[in-house]
Amino acid sequence: MIDLLAQQYNLVLSSRKTILDYIKTISEEDFLQEHSTFGRGSIRNLLVHICDTYSAWIGERALNKIINYKPFEYYKNLDACIIYFDVVNAYLNEFFKAYADDYNVVIKINRNGQILEESPIHLFTHVITHEFHHKGQIMSLSRHLGYIPVDADIIR
């Protein structure tokens, strides 16, 4: 099963590379500009939120890591966000190995004082679909800013 999820994550990485390359064409001012009608407010904030979500569900809850979350403002530019994605990728690689024998095992997770019972496959599906949801917001926000979004679907 590890190969299947790793292959699936490689598809996510390919799509992510497409959008990160696209974001490199966006001015730094537009990258940081906050818009109250777009979820987390800016392209930067959306990228950081994606990473924070991977860190929370995979790093913290599935791998029991202590995560030092930083405010959006810590990430001054796209390069800083890419470094955070590198950390996320390391969590995923560790996650694949940790649960390679059973992606359906029950993991007890504390979420705001409530104990949830989730499987690794459930957590993995949650974080990758969450990323695509927010990538859609990034594309909409960039269009709002006057850019022409690229196709960052898995099949493009």
Side-chain angles (χ1 to χ4, degrees):
M1 187 64 112
I2 186 170
D3 290 336
L4 179 61
L5 291 190
Q7 286 177 25
Q8 188 174 12
Y9 192 62
N10 282 333
L11 296 172
V12 173
L13 291 175
S14 174
S15 173
R16 185 186 300 156
K17 180 183 181 323
T18 299
I19 196 166
L20 293 175
D21 287 346
Y22 165 66
I23 293 171
K24 289 176 184 174
T25 70
I26 294 174
S27 75
E28 187 173 321
E29 180 182 345
D30 287 340
F31 177 73
L32 298 172
Q33 186 175 352
E34 298 214 14
H35 298 268
S36 62
T37 57
F38 282 93
R40 301 290 172 188
S42 71
I43 293 171
R44 183 261 325 264
N45 293 5
L46 287 162
L47 292 175
V48 172
H49 174 66
I50 291 167
C51 290
D52 283 349
T53 300
Y54 274 104
S55 295
W57 288 103
I58 302 299
E60 186 176 340
R61 294 177 176 127
L63 298 173
N64 296 311
K65 295 191 175 295
I66 297 172
I67 309 293
N68 180 18
Y69 297 96
K70 296 174 178 68
F72 295 131
E73 296 75 23
Y74 174 85
Y75 303 90
K76 304 284 185 204
N77 54 41
L78 178 58
D79 288 339
C81 293
I82 290 171
I83 290 169
Y84 196 3
F85 274 112
D86 290 341
V87 171
V88 163
N89 294 339
Y91 293 156
L92 266 294
N93 289 328
E94 187 176 338
F95 173 80
F96 296 147
K97 290 175 185 162
Y99 295 100
D101 293 335
D102 190 357
Y103 282 110
N104 290 304
V105 66
V106 173
I107 305 171
K108 292 191 179 195
I109 295 173
N110 185 335
R111 178 180 176 209
N112 303 323
Q114 178 185 9
I115 302 300
L116 304 177
E117 293 184 352
E118 303 295 346
S119 67
I121 191 73
H122 193 174
L123 295 176
F124 179 71
T125 302
H126 174 70
V127 293
I128 64 172
T129 57
H130 175 266
E131 177 174 352
F132 277 83
H133 162 71
H134 287 298
K135 284 197 293 190
Q137 288 181 325
I138 290 169
M139 295 303 201
S140 293
L141 177 52
S142 71
R143 184 179 303 281
H144 176 79
L145 293 168
Y147 297 86
I148 298 171
V150 296
D151 182 355
D153 287 340
I154 295 292
I155 298 175
R156 49 186 183 279

